[in-house]
Amino acid sequence: MGIFIKNDEQISLMRIASRICARTHELLAKAIRPGVTTAELNGIAEDYIRSNDSTPSFLGYRGFPKAICASVNNEVIHGIPGLRRLRSGDIISIDIGVCYKRFHGDAARTHAVGKITDEHQKLIEVTEQSFFEGMRFAKTTNRLHDISNAIDDYVDGFGFSIVREWCGHGIGRHVHEDPQIPHTRQDKRGPRLGRGMTLAIEPMINAGTFEISSLNDTWTVVTQDGKYSAHYENTILITDGEPEILTL
């Protein structure tokens, strides 16, 4: 398919989609507490997205049944919202995609539910910071895998592991476009970054092994050792200077 370079009009539509995505995350952050169900969070998100002349990017995508992904504790990604009630000590990763006038924004956040352990708080913080360490290299002077290598280098010192099978991605007219963006060190530097590229960088970091498996629902990805996992993602724009985060 090749890497799709966006023009100013297309970028402006992505800014709107991404802003709605960010505001949806803000709403859910206020709603996350012990006792709430993941289905209730899904309803809040879908209602807000639709009230802003947009649609949830994930709903119906390859058959996914809900508007958001809600992954709890050892669930890495693609958790399906349902009747599960959150409990104090849980962590929950929320992944949201928004489509506005055929262009997408995509972001993920991991939240503490009530009081969590110091280890799990550190996992959330390292995952978020690893995104920003990678984003520092999202410039036209660099290549794609410079981002990957920076994320790996940062996480390496904390005793956590990076999920290998799932990557970040380009985004624009489709919620998933070329290029794929690994979050682990690569042998080659990859394609040169260019102005007008829009990327969704989304490290998924496990407290234990990097190894994962899928549940019988065919969607939910979990850690093989049962330890917790965190996820952080933003949609960014490559510019002539510093990268711009669209989903903040």
Side-chain angles (χ1 to χ4, degrees), residues 135-163:
M135 191 193 72
R136 290 172 48 223
F137 291 84
K139 300 177 182 179
T140 56
T141 51
N142 294 321
R143 292 182 178 270
L144 186 72
H145 293 163
D146 294 332
I147 298 171
S148 311
N149 296 344
I151 292 170
D152 197 326
D153 289 347
Y154 177 75
V155 174
D156 185 57
F158 291 97
F160 300 140
S161 62
I162 302 172
V163 172

Side-chain angles (χ1 to χ4, degrees), residues 1-42:
M1 182 166 57
I3 299 174
F4 171 30
I5 304 298
K6 285 74 177 180
N7 61 33
D8 289 345
E9 180 182 359
Q10 293 161 341
I11 290 167
S12 70
L13 295 175
M14 289 190 67
R15 280 201 179 95
I16 295 170
S18 296
R19 190 177 307 127
I20 295 165
C21 184
R23 289 174 177 168
T24 308
H25 271 293
E26 291 173 1
L27 281 177
L28 294 191
K30 295 175 182 176
I32 290 170
R33 63 185 184 279
V36 72
T37 68
T38 53
E40 288 171 326
L41 298 176
N42 182 81

Side-chain angles (χ1 to χ4, degrees), residues 59-93:
L59 183 61
Y61 179 77
R62 297 184 179 176
F64 190 76
K66 297 292 182 178
I68 65 171
C69 300
S71 307
V72 181
N73 297 341
N74 68 316
E75 297 173 351
V76 181
I77 47 171
H78 304 160
I80 300 173
L83 299 179
R84 181 175 189 165
R85 292 191 182 276
L86 299 182
R87 299 182 298 178
S88 184
D90 288 342
I91 68 173
I92 180 170
S93 299

Side-chain angles (χ1 to χ4, degrees), residues 95-159:
D95 195 354
I96 301 173
V98 171
C99 183
Y100 176 79
K101 295 186 178 178
R102 300 180 65 186
F103 280 83
H104 297 265
D106 186 7
R109 308 281 185 264
T110 300
H111 302 271
V113 182
K115 184 173 177 56
I116 63 173
T117 67
D118 291 344
E119 180 193 19
H120 295 149
Q121 183 61 44
K122 189 68 174 177
L123 176 67
I124 293 173
E125 291 170 358
V126 168
T127 303
E128 179 174 344
Q129 186 59 34
S130 73
F131 163 86
F132 288 99
E133 295 296 324
M135 191 193 72
R136 290 172 48 223
F137 291 84
K139 300 177 182 179
T140 56
T141 51
N142 294 321
R143 292 182 178 270
L144 186 72
H145 293 163
D146 294 332
I147 298 171
S148 311
N149 296 344
I151 292 170
D152 197 326
D153 289 347
Y154 177 75
V155 174
D156 185 57
F158 291 97

Side-chain angles (χ1 to χ4, degrees), residues 186-207:
Q186 302 296 302
D187 293 333
K188 297 180 180 179
R189 293 186 68 195
R192 182 169 295 282
L193 299 171
R195 181 183 183 275
M197 287 185 183
T198 44
L199 308 174
I201 303 169
E202 52 174 323
M204 296 147 252
I205 312 298
N206 296 345

Side-chain angles (χ1 to χ4, degrees), residues 224-244:
Q224 281 199 8
D225 60 8
K227 292 188 176 181
Y228 284 16
S229 183
H231 184 196
Y232 188 84
E233 174 186 26
N234 281 304
T235 298
I236 71 167
L237 169 68
I238 306 298
T239 73
D240 288 327
E242 294 296 320
E244 178 184 348

